Amino acid sequence: MINRRRRSTEASDIRWAFGCGFPAIIALAFATVGTFLELRLVAHAHVYCAGDLSAGENSAGSVWAVSRLVLFPIVSVVSALISLPFQLLARLPRLAGRMWLELLLLALSIAVSAAGPVALILYDLATQGTPDNCVLPWWPSWLPS
């Protein structure tokens, strides 16, 4: 009887640790992949709209890129912290045994974690990537130009 409790406790401890660590994994993934995706998208959009860039525009773009290397991980971590309550809800004793509810809360946690980085990418693409109201050929009509 004691061994069963110890085994179930170890399994629940592992699930608890994974549940609390999952937002950190998500934040790290969005911070690394999202930063480079954003820089690449904005650079390509800016070159499409402005053509060849002068030396001054290139240095200004480099300063902006360095600021995003700092800001984007911060946004990713804040989004992951905001999603943490969904992970904690899934670990409540009344909700812990329901797999469908855990999956739903996991999906909500991932969506909330992705919301901040995606919003920052869209904002920067709309403001930095499209100067002089340039409209990209694939630009959706609901985004500002």
Side-chain angles (χ1 to χ4, degrees):
M1 193 64 127
I2 294 173
N3 288 338
R4 274 192 184 166
R5 284 188 184 191
R6 184 172 286 162
R7 284 185 197 158
S8 66
T9 303
E10 289 173 1
S12 66
D13 288 345
I14 291 170
R15 288 183 64 177
W16 176 262
F18 177 74
C20 291
F22 192 67
I25 295 168
I26 292 172
L28 183 63
F30 280 123
T32 55
V33 174
T35 302
F36 294 111
L37 176 68
E38 177 188 30
L39 293 177
R40 184 172 172 86
L41 284 175
V42 170
H44 283 300
H46 194 73
V47 167
Y48 175 83
C49 288
D52 287 334
L53 302 177
S54 67
E57 289 174 326
N58 276 336
S59 66
S62 298
V63 170
W64 176 83
V66 169
S67 73
R68 286 312 182 242
L69 286 173
V70 173
L71 181 65
F72 206 89
I74 292 171
V75 169
S76 296
V77 168
V78 169
S79 293
L81 287 175
I82 292 171
S83 74
L84 191 59
F86 293 111
Q87 290 292 321
L88 295 176
L89 277 175
R91 302 305 180 254
L92 288 175
R94 289 187 172 207
L95 305 176
R98 297 181 175 92
M99 186 59 127
W100 66 271
L101 189 57
E102 287 183 22
L103 290 175
L104 176 68
L105 290 171
L106 178 66
L108 282 173
S109 177
I110 292 171
V112 169
S113 291
V118 168
L120 185 61
I121 289 173
L122 291 177
Y123 174 77
D124 286 340
L125 195 56
T127 57
Q128 292 292 324
T130 55
D132 301 327
N133 292 329
C134 173
V135 178
L136 299 171
W138 46 269
W139 200 250
S141 62
W142 53 269
L143 288 172
S145 59

